Amino acid sequence: MFVRTTYATGDPAKLDDAVRRLTTEGREPLEQTPGFRGAGVFVDRELGKLMIGTWWQDEEALRSSAERMGQLRSEMLSPFAATVTVDNWEAAVAQRAESVGEGACFRLTRVEFDPSHTDLMVDAFRDGVLPRLQAMPGFLGGSLLIDRAGGRGIVGAIYADRDTFAASRAPAAAMRGEVTTKTRATLRSVEEFEAVMVISAPPS
């Protein structure tokens, strides 16, 4: 599968209205788009940050949905968003959460690596990181999304509640250190969000 991420920042006071629109009136047109396979909405209300991920069954569905999603994005994020960044990714490894409840949390990690080390990064996450995440209390789902040509990746992990999320910080930090050393990757950022909505659509 392939994923389109939207990273928006803006006035924190206007964030909740954008979230309401995304999770209500924005949901139906998204789910009706051919090739749609799921979505997640994650927020940092204090800083005014919004992360959206939409999942697509293949690269063609990702490309063909771009214009419609661009129009929907403009409608849903106005007037909140002062900056918007859109990226496309290959879902290299994924255990997707089906849904989330109140209090669920999301951690996003950005890494850069030599494109020739892409398979090494994928193997390290699939065989080393994901099994350890799966053993953690409260873990609901995690994925490694990659840009093979650009040598970039993002890792997302969702936890059921704030307590298990907090408890995961130390072991997650240890895993980041191990993987970046093994793959000679550069860690660019670690961010934490509230998980507002996660939906999963079955294959057609």
Side-chain angles (χ1 to χ4, degrees):
M1 282 191 291
F2 288 77
V3 179
R4 177 181 295 111
T5 58
T6 300
Y7 186 86
T9 67
D11 184 347
K14 298 177 180 178
L15 176 57
D16 279 343
D17 184 59
V19 170
R20 179 191 59 78
R21 298 181 69 191
L22 283 165
T23 56
T24 55
E25 60 195 88
R27 183 165 174 167
E28 184 175 350
L30 179 62
E31 292 179 324
Q32 292 178 347
T33 304
F36 172 75
R37 291 295 172 263
V41 177
F42 312 99
V43 301
D44 179 336
R45 287 188 166 90
E46 183 175 358
L47 296 181
K49 297 191 295 184
L50 173 67
M51 181 78 175
I52 306 165
T54 55
W55 292 70
W56 305 91
Q57 67 180 12
D58 52 35
E59 195 168 11
E60 174 57 31
L62 178 76
R63 284 195 299 263
S64 63
S65 66
E67 183 176 354
R68 182 177 187 183
M69 290 301 99
Q71 294 171 348
L72 185 62
R73 186 165 53 242
S74 296
E75 295 170 6
M76 296 296 103
L77 296 184
S78 177
F80 158 70
T83 69
V84 178
T85 302
V86 179
D87 288 297
N88 295 325
W89 309 90
E90 174 191 344
V93 184
Q95 176 189 317
R96 297 170 59 197
E98 296 296 318
S99 62
V100 295
E102 185 176 355
C105 299
F106 174 71
R107 181 175 297 116
L108 176 73
T109 303
R110 299 181 186 272
V111 294
E112 294 180 358
F113 46 86
D114 188 314
S116 67
H117 296 163
T118 299
D119 288 341
L120 181 62
M121 175 64 71
V122 173
D123 291 345
F125 184 80
R126 183 190 61 231
D127 301 331
V129 174
L130 186 57
R132 291 163 68 181
L133 289 175
Q134 291 168 332
M136 288 187 184
F139 176 74
L140 297 180
S143 60
L144 168 64
L145 311 181
I146 59 170
D147 169 6
R148 289 183 181 271
R152 302 181 302 147
I154 58 175
V155 174
I158 302 176
Y159 294 82
D161 54 66
R162 293 178 178 86
D163 289 342
T164 56
F165 188 59
S168 73
R169 289 185 178 122
M175 282 187 280
R176 286 194 297 270
E178 294 170 14
V179 171
T180 53
T181 298
K182 181 178 182 179
T183 62
R184 297 192 289 279
T186 300
L187 179 69
R188 288 302 182 193
S189 68
V190 179
E191 298 178 80
E192 296 186 346
F193 298 84
E194 174 189 348
V196 174
M197 181 185 78
V198 171
I199 53 177
S200 181
S204 56

